[in-house]
Amino acid sequence: MNLTVFGASGRTGQALLHLAREHDHGHGHRTTAHVRDAARLGDAPATRVVTGSVFDTDSVTDAVRDADAVVIALGLHRDRTTALYSRGTATVVGAMRQHGIRRLVVVSEAAYSPHARGPLAHTAAALYRLANAPAVRERRLQDSIVTTSHTDWTILRPTLLTHRPSRRPPSPPALRPRAHTFSRLTYRQLAAQILDVLDDPATYHRNLYP
């Protein structure tokens, strides 16, 4: 599979590139990493690297060329008011439409309604919304762009990501939000779930909760 990853220099993106290379006993997927700065990829392997902003139509269009599937794993860091999720996702979806690419997997979060379930989760979501209102607005806009994109989309919504190895294997992604607030998942485990759903039509047009 030819896989294009946006946000490839982030923790999820790097874990995905490593696991994609190891997939299928080392034969692996061909990967294109779209990044602002290639140096931030570190030792994460990619078949091809395209540098540029996710707002730049030319670099995004180049990155999705010949892709069988696209993964969006964008993350806000310092400037949490930028329209990264909405404008970036809209640019990617437009490029996919131009090239006739259908499969899209998006890494989002479960920290806002209706993706929080249970009193503790609702309380945590309310606090998160107060502290990160611009980011939540961006996520809602991203959701709308993805779910109306006429692609075969899947949105994965982890709650707590960590590098620390888990004491127990992760459960398969659920179709409904989990009742407990903090479901811990490593970046590598999330990357494995992304690869698992890529060619699974049963996950099309669904929100999944790792």
Side-chain angles (χ1 to χ4, degrees):
M1 179 179 289
N2 291 331
L3 179 64
T4 296
V5 183
F6 291 92
S9 62
R11 293 173 179 176
T12 300
Q14 289 191 30
L16 180 58
L17 291 175
H18 279 290
L19 207 57
R21 171 66 62 86
E22 300 167 16
H23 192 70
D24 195 19
H25 305 289
H27 295 290
H29 298 297
R30 287 180 52 85
T31 54
T32 296
H34 184 275
V35 292
R36 289 182 63 90
D37 180 4
R40 291 184 60 196
L41 276 173
D43 65 349
T47 310
R48 188 167 72 103
V49 177
V50 176
T51 57
S53 166
V54 76
F55 303 147
D56 173 31
T57 301
D58 288 342
S59 72
V60 170
T61 301
D62 180 30
V64 303
R65 174 171 47 88
D66 299 326
D68 299 306
V70 171
V71 174
I72 297 177
L74 302 173
L76 288 171
H77 296 289
R78 295 178 182 84
D79 183 3
R80 301 186 68 82
T81 63
T82 184
L84 177 67
Y85 298 141
S86 60
R87 281 184 56 203
T89 299
T91 305
V92 172
V93 166
M96 291 176 64
R97 184 181 302 116
Q98 180 178 337
H99 283 282
I101 301 162
R102 296 282 306 176
R103 186 63 174 130
L104 173 63
V105 177
V106 178
V107 178
S108 185
E109 53 193 307
Y112 56 93
S113 178
H115 306 292
R117 179 183 170 207
L120 288 177
H122 281 294
T123 299
L127 293 173
Y128 179 81
R129 186 171 61 251
L130 287 173
N132 301 280
V136 173
R137 284 196 297 269
E138 273 295 292
R139 283 300 194 194
R140 293 188 185 281
L141 287 170
Q142 183 185 44
D143 291 345
S144 178
I145 292 165
V146 171
T147 58
T148 60
S149 63
H150 302 291
T151 63
D152 295 325
W153 58 267
T154 301
I155 302 177
L156 282 164
R157 297 184 179 277
T159 54
L160 184 60
L161 290 169
T162 177
H163 282 300
R164 184 181 304 173
S166 176
R167 293 181 179 179
R168 63 181 65 180
S171 303
L175 297 178
R176 297 181 60 216
R178 297 186 185 275
H180 45 90
T181 312
F182 302 111
S183 177
R184 188 183 297 271
L185 200 71
T186 68
Y187 293 98
R188 185 177 175 87
Q189 288 169 337
L190 176 60
Q193 293 189 353
I194 292 170
L195 292 179
D196 284 344
V197 305
L198 275 179
D199 58 357
D200 183 1
T203 68
Y204 292 2
H205 308 136
R206 290 195 179 274
N207 289 282
L208 299 180
Y209 302 87

